[in-house]
Amino acid sequence: MKPSPQDSLPLWHTLPIETVVKQLESTPAGLTGAEAVRRLAEHGPNELLAAHRISPWEILFQQFKNVLIVILLVATALSAFLGHGIEAVAITVIVLFAVLLGFAQEYRAERAIEALRRMAAPTATVLRDGEEVEIPARDLVPGDIILLHAGDKIPADARLIEAVNLQIEEAALTGESVPVEKQAAMLAGGQAPLGDRKNIAYSGTTASYGRGRAVVVATGMSTEFGKIAQMLQTVETSKTPLQENLDRVGHMLARVAFAVVAVIVALGLFRGQPVIEMLIFGIALAVAVVPEALPAVVTISLALGVQRLVKRNALMRRLPAVETLGSTSVICSDKTGTLTKDEMTVRRIFAAGRTYDVTGEGYEPRGLFSYAGAPVEPPSQLTLLLRAAALDSDSHIVYSESEGRWHVKGDPTEGALVVAAAKAGLKKADLESQFPRVNEIPFTSETKRMTTLHSGPEGMVAYSKGAPETILSSCVRQLTAEGEAELDAAGREAILEAARQMAGQALRVIAVSSKAGAAIENAEHQMTFLGLAGMIDPPRPEAKAAIHTCELAGIKPVMITGDHPLTAKAVARELGLLKTDRVVSGAELEAMGESEFEGQVEDIEVYARVSPAHKLRVVTALQKMGHIVAMTGDGVNDAPALKKADIGIAMGITGTDVTKEAAAMTLTDDNFASIVAAVEEGRHIFGNIKKYLMYLLSSNIGEIVLMAAAMLFGMPLPLSAVQILYVNLATDGLPALALAVDPPEPDLMRRQPRKPRTGIFTRPVVILMTVGGLWSAAVNLGLFAWALNSGRGVKEAMTMTFVSLVLIQFFKAYNFRSDRHSVLIRPFANGWLNWAILWESALLALVVYLPVLHKPFGTFALTLIDWVIVALVALTITPVLELAKWMERRGWFGKIS
């Protein structure tokens, strides 16, 4: 096999471009897809060495690092040695089930996080088979031709083929504090320092200005960055604040549990119970009470929630951000492309003294024309204006089958004119075949107009478009309903007034004119004025509904744009975002002192003509007022504001790699509605973790209080060690996991944002858990005592208590689907929970009625009367929790979180 280009890297900066491309066996059009696949197999993915990833065997082994599990297995082995073989086998089987459940939870969490890493991987624009495509950066290979633009992160070491005003920030690699100007020419000096190799773009650095084209010379660990740096994980797996909080709760519960278990075991020994029996019982109770599954379940809930967010067009790069999402109280959003479609659309046309309205949004060539509110067929004067505007444009529209939408190739303003013409039945391709372009005078910032010459059936004709004042100054005639007429002072004033009215409605105004029999020398003189077209980037239809949802959810939406204040005001008013007429400009913001601005920041809804530095100031001021701020951004300069915000949101379509790296979340569709959907999902995820915890901890309270009370009152133990472990497995198992995927509550987005420092364990939540746990313990203890006093044997009484405890856990699972609403509201909406309860009920019936399981589980075949009594006792938990929720809703226990 031929040696790899990466095995012994030449001094690429000293070679001519042609030699570099030849040595890499590439072409200016890039590699073929098949060759790229072969090279990827040869060189491996373009990644730095990844952090150690846990294998399934390691995850399984970690389950046995739990001291309680190990002690319990040792105790059961000792018990088997002493002749209690059946009980020992039963306990071992249940413990192994618990270990496998823990393994499944952690393995799934690890795989979910791994999937997020892949989804969040950076991308690169390359030439493959001669076409420009975007691929994951990890798939780059030596010889690939990559395209670089301002804001892009360089995906691999590459020799520049073309550099147009290209500047690259190399501080991360060389320490150079200012961007380095790049060039494509070869350099002398073989061992030049990295910073002096002006024709090399290095992996991990960032293009700050200009554009370029380069051929990849090194990937992965063969890059300069790979020699000195470890790979930055695209998804951080450090513990979230919630997990740290739960760790503290878990440790506290463990200490309390050990103390209570020690007391119970000591009382048992004092009363003459066998040492081994009490040892196994005590450890089993500790295993049941300590919520060792909490971290894994929380990780799964967060990771699965993040995957649901992907389906709603939001990609999270850090799990802790999911927790913060649900607390967001202010969303600061860009206008263009986020609140609007980023598709210029002609809304009004002034032709022959009349103003026409145009329907339709975006680049889809469908819409109607109306005059004075009534639909009309475009008259000849309007058709002529649209024909001229379309022919005097370089843009064209294309339909993307893969995306199911229309796109404009070229300038969006020209695209809007082409779309308007298409709505009148004038297709650009047909027009160009009838009136081929023969010459043109291009647009410049000085002339503010563009003119094209076309040959047609009636000879040469010139069409011109540009700023109204510029076009009007070159016109001596105008097109009216009766035909062409002289353009006098009154006519000029009428046209300027129409242009002012459009501008006052935040429309961008373009004027169009023509000249028959024109030549290139006189094309822009003595022209005929055809009319005006007013266009705007229209608001997204779904953004208005999303803003209304924000208001119901106690979230303040704020528009921050670099656009003109008039445009910002018009769009904000149409969206229902602007409640006052106040729009604060960047200049006004500069003039305000800090204290003055902080006093007004909560009342400002729209900022216009602002810079990225102003965004940072807005975020800081809102945070000082106690708000949790989400901020959008797409440009390189937005990165500081995104990092400062509690939730930085990058644009997936228009955003640069720099902003995506600085952000906690990336929108794959650049849509404001997706931000609101992400906030809803964040609230949903946090709510489900709360449900799971309430259910689990309330069950644990019920179990330990039941056992402690029985010992204190001198009663026999109401549950055996095997029964305790089985209850724990049934509780921590499928029903608990089903709560982690519970559907969102109907009023989730009609609640005020949660304060992040409040945490899960608010006073109402703690009271609800405690009430559920104490009532469970009380009724089960009462049932056990009644069964013993009614002449039933200890085994039957224990079985009744065991079954009652399991049924209570089942009823609790449904009750804890909400900490405020009645269980009767959509009681069976969680299909996973329904199936989990059916499955656990079937297993419970087997434990009670299958003779082979009677001895290991210490169970007894209950009669119908026993079942009726047990079911009625278990059902009492529902009215008790309903009463507690009713009291909560009325504020008896404090504010509901």
Side-chain angles (χ1 to χ4, degrees):
M1 180 184 289
K2 188 172 181 177
S4 161
Q6 301 195 115
D7 293 339
S8 55
L9 295 175
L11 297 172
W12 299 110
H13 63 286
T14 64
L15 302 176
I17 292 169
E18 297 78 10
T19 305
V20 173
V21 173
K22 185 176 179 181
Q23 285 198 18
L24 291 168
E25 297 180 1
S26 185
T27 69
L31 302 174
T32 65
E35 176 62 16
V37 170
R38 187 193 69 75
R39 294 193 186 191
L40 186 62
E42 178 184 348
H43 300 296
N46 177 36
E47 294 176 329
L48 302 184
L49 280 180
H52 174 66
R53 287 167 190 168
I54 303 175
S55 73
W57 289 110
E58 286 178 281
I59 296 173
L60 182 61
F61 178 72
Q62 283 181 355
Q63 307 306 308
F64 291 97
K65 289 184 178 179
N66 186 320
V67 177
L68 292 175
I69 294 289
V70 174
I71 294 175
L72 187 55
L73 289 174
V74 171
T76 51
L78 185 59
S79 177
F81 179 75
L82 295 176
H84 301 282
I86 294 177
E87 291 87 344
V89 170
I91 291 175
T92 303
V93 169
I94 291 175
V95 168
L96 289 177
F97 266 116
V99 165
L100 289 174
L101 179 64
F103 166 77
Q105 290 170 341
E106 291 195 24
Y107 179 80
R108 190 174 182 185
E110 186 67 24
R111 296 290 80 79
I113 291 172
E114 194 60 40
L116 295 179
R117 287 192 187 102
R118 289 195 296 272
M119 285 188 290
T123 59
T125 304
V126 303
L127 292 179
R128 288 273 173 91
D129 296 309
E131 293 190 4
E132 187 178 317
V133 294
E134 191 171 89
I135 64 170
R138 69 188 304 275
D139 292 343
L140 280 178
V141 295
D144 262 327
I145 305 295
I146 57 174
L147 306 179
L148 306 175
H149 299 92
D152 288 350
K153 193 166 186 178
I154 311 301
D157 285 4
R159 169 71 158 84
L160 288 165
I161 297 173
E162 176 186 52
V164 181
N165 300 321
L166 182 64
Q167 296 181 10
I168 295 181
E169 293 181 2
E170 296 182 345
L173 183 66
T174 65
E176 183 71 42
S177 59
V178 296
V180 178
E181 291 189 12
K182 293 292 183 176
Q183 64 183 58
M186 65 179 244
L187 301 171
Q191 298 300 328
L194 296 182
D196 292 339
R197 299 181 185 185
K198 307 284 180 149
N199 56 11
I200 302 287
Y202 294 107
S203 173
T205 60
T206 304
S208 60
Y209 190 77
R211 59 184 173 85
R213 184 182 299 235
V215 57
V216 174
V217 296
T219 59
M221 295 305 292
S222 297
T223 63
E224 294 296 335
F225 224 93
K227 297 171 186 175
I228 60 172
Q230 290 297 314
M231 184 178 185
L232 292 171
Q233 301 299 310
T234 54
V235 176
E236 297 178 1
T237 55
S238 57
K239 284 189 176 180
T240 72
L242 176 61
Q243 286 173 313
E244 292 174 352
N245 185 20
L246 294 179
D247 282 347
R248 289 194 295 271
V249 171
H251 291 144
M252 180 193 72
L253 283 174
R255 287 193 290 270
V256 172
F258 278 126
V260 174
V261 168
V263 171
I264 292 173
V265 171
L267 284 173
L269 293 174
F270 179 75
R271 290 168 51 185
Q273 299 279 358
V275 175
I276 290 296
E277 182 182 326
M278 288 309 300
L279 179 63
I280 293 175
F281 175 83
I283 297 169
L285 186 57
V287 169
V289 170
V290 175
E292 65 279 347
L294 278 187
V297 171
V298 170
T299 301
I300 289 173
S301 297
L302 290 172
L304 291 181
V306 169
Q307 290 180 333
R308 288 198 302 272
L309 279 168
V310 170
K311 295 176 183 176
R312 304 185 79 169
N313 302 308
L315 176 60
M316 305 300 299
R317 295 186 69 249
R318 292 188 282 274
L319 286 184
V322 180
E323 299 170 33
T324 312
L325 260 180
S327 304
T328 302
S329 58
V330 178
I331 300 175
C332 296
S333 174
D334 281 324
K335 176 185 71 67
T336 305
T338 309
L339 288 166
T340 64
K341 293 175 70 72
D342 196 16
E343 297 178 356
M344 291 297 286
T345 305
V346 173
R347 283 276 184 89
R348 284 185 179 80
I349 296 176
F350 177 79
R354 290 183 168 186
T355 300
Y356 299 88
D357 292 316
V358 188
T359 64
E361 292 176 344
Y363 296 142
E364 186 173 5
R366 285 196 294 186
L368 299 173
F369 296 84
S370 62
Y371 173 67
V376 296
E377 283 297 316
S380 59
Q381 298 87 350
L382 180 55
T383 302
L384 181 57
L385 182 153
L386 292 172
R387 183 179 76 187
L391 286 168
D392 191 29
S393 297
D394 291 327
S395 298
H396 61 280
I397 56 174
V398 293
Y399 183 74
S400 169
E401 293 285 352
S402 60
E403 297 181 34
R405 57 193 290 254
W406 290 84
H407 292 272
V408 160
K409 296 293 185 181
D411 180 72
T413 300
E414 290 189 342
L417 296 170
V418 172
V419 170
K423 290 175 181 177
L426 302 174
K427 294 183 179 178
K428 185 140 193 288
D430 295 341
L431 291 174
E432 288 176 334
S433 65
Q434 295 172 28
F435 302 91
R437 184 185 298 187
V438 295
N439 213 330
E440 65 181 83
I441 303 173
F443 175 90
T444 67
S445 57
E446 290 77 26
T447 62
K448 295 183 180 178
R449 69 189 299 164
M450 173 182 176
T451 304
T452 55
L453 275 74
H454 303 261
S455 63
E458 298 176 4
M460 295 293 291
V461 61
Y463 296 123
S464 190
K465 70 177 191 307
E469 297 83 359
T470 302
I471 295 297
L472 204 55
S473 67
S474 65
C475 293
V476 294
R477 299 178 67 78
Q478 65 174 325
L479 188 64
T480 68
E482 291 75 31
E484 285 194 18
E486 185 181 347
L487 181 59
D488 55 18
R492 290 178 189 277
E493 184 54 37
I495 292 168
L496 290 173
E497 178 57 29
R500 282 193 290 269
Q501 286 183 8
M502 286 186 182
Q505 295 161 350
L507 298 176
R508 181 179 184 186
V509 186
I510 299 293
V512 183
S513 61
S514 69
K515 180 176 182 177
I520 191 68
E521 299 80 15
N522 62 11
E524 295 181 340
H525 303 283
Q526 307 289 308
M527 302 191 82
T528 300
F529 184 82
L530 300 181
L532 304 168
M535 60 190 71
I536 194 170
D537 178 13
R540 290 179 179 267
E542 62 273 25
K544 187 169 185 177
I547 285 171
H548 180 63
T549 301
C550 281
E551 292 169 352
L552 293 176
I555 301 168
K556 179 184 176 66
V558 175
M559 178 194 290
I560 303 183
T561 179
D563 217 332
H564 192 279
L566 271 178
T567 307
K569 181 183 288 188
V571 172
R573 187 175 288 127
E574 190 169 340
L575 286 167
L577 188 151
L578 189 63
K579 301 298 185 293
T580 65
D581 273 344
R582 188 182 184 195
V583 175
V584 174
S585 67
E588 290 177 71
L589 195 55
E590 288 281 359
M592 288 188 196
E594 285 303 317
S595 58
E596 181 187 2
F597 179 50
E598 287 169 16
Q600 299 180 31
V601 68
E602 292 182 296
D603 301 320
I604 300 172
E605 296 156 327
V606 179
Y607 297 87
R609 283 284 192 257
V610 296
S611 66
H614 296 140
K615 282 187 172 185
L616 184 61
R617 190 177 175 195
V618 171
V619 171
T620 304
L622 285 167
Q623 288 176 330
K624 279 186 180 180
M625 303 306 292
H627 289 285
I628 303 299
V629 183
M631 168 70 78
T632 69
D634 54 8
V636 176
N637 292 336
D638 289 331
L642 296 192
K643 283 188 175 181
K644 177 66 176 172
D646 299 281
I647 296 283
I649 303 170
M651 301 294 107
I653 299 173
T654 60
T656 60
D657 287 350
V658 174
T659 54
K660 291 174 188 176
E661 189 171 291
M665 181 171 87
T666 299
L667 297 182
T668 57
D669 63 349
D670 293 9
N671 193 335
F672 180 81
S674 297
I675 305 175
V676 180
V679 171
E680 181 180 4
E681 195 62 57
R683 292 187 178 191
H684 179 201
I685 293 165
F686 190 87
N688 281 1
I689 293 172
K690 181 166 68 173
K691 295 171 191 178
Y692 169 85
L693 289 172
M694 285 195 301
Y695 170 64
L696 181 71
L697 298 180
S698 179
S699 300
N700 288 356
I701 292 170
E703 292 168 32
I704 199 164
V705 171
L706 170 63
M707 304 309 295
M711 295 299 293
L712 288 173
F713 289 127
M715 300 167 66
L717 291 174
L719 297 171
S720 68
V722 177
Q723 288 172 345
I724 287 174
L725 289 172
Y726 181 85
V727 170
N728 180 56
L729 187 65
T731 303
D732 283 3
L734 298 179
L737 290 175
L739 283 178
V741 292
D742 197 51
E745 294 181 54
D747 65 341
L748 192 63
M749 291 300 282
R750 293 196 296 274
R751 303 175 186 173
Q752 292 299 302
R754 175 184 60 85
K755 289 187 172 67
R757 295 175 189 83
T758 303
I760 284 180
F761 300 105
T762 58
R763 186 187 299 174
V765 168
V766 171
I767 289 174
L768 201 61
M769 286 192 310
T770 306
V771 167
L774 292 180
W775 184 261
S776 171
V779 295
N780 281 315
L781 189 65
L783 175 64
F784 183 61
W786 175 84
L788 290 175
N789 293 331
S790 66
R792 288 169 169 79
V794 172
K795 182 176 280 191
E796 185 176 359
M798 289 177 69
T799 303
M800 292 179 72
T801 306
F802 167 66
V803 172
S804 171
L805 183 59
V806 173
L807 292 182
I808 283 177
Q809 313 290 44
F810 291 169
F811 287 130
K812 277 185 184 178
Y814 284 102
N815 277 278
F816 282 132
R817 286 190 57 239
S818 175
D819 62 338
R820 65 189 72 195
H821 296 306
S822 169
V823 71
L824 300 177
I825 297 175
R826 303 187 313 150
F828 304 112
N830 188 340
W832 291 107
L833 180 59
N834 299 335
W835 285 110
I837 297 299
L838 284 173
W839 172 254
E840 295 291 352
S841 298
L843 292 182
L844 180 63
L846 290 177
V847 169
V848 172
Y849 287 111
L850 202 62
V852 72
L853 296 178
H854 282 176
K855 188 167 184 181
F857 281 92
T859 50
F860 180 90
L862 298 181
T863 66
L864 180 60
I865 295 297
D866 290 340
W867 273 105
V868 171
I869 294 169
V870 166
L872 289 174
V873 167
L875 194 58
T876 60
I877 191 69
T878 296
V880 169
L881 290 175
E882 284 290 287
L883 177 63
K885 290 181 189 179
W886 180 84
M887 295 170 73
E888 274 193 24
R889 289 194 295 269
R890 276 146 187 78
W892 288 32
F893 306 142
K895 187 179 180 181
I896 300 177
S897 63

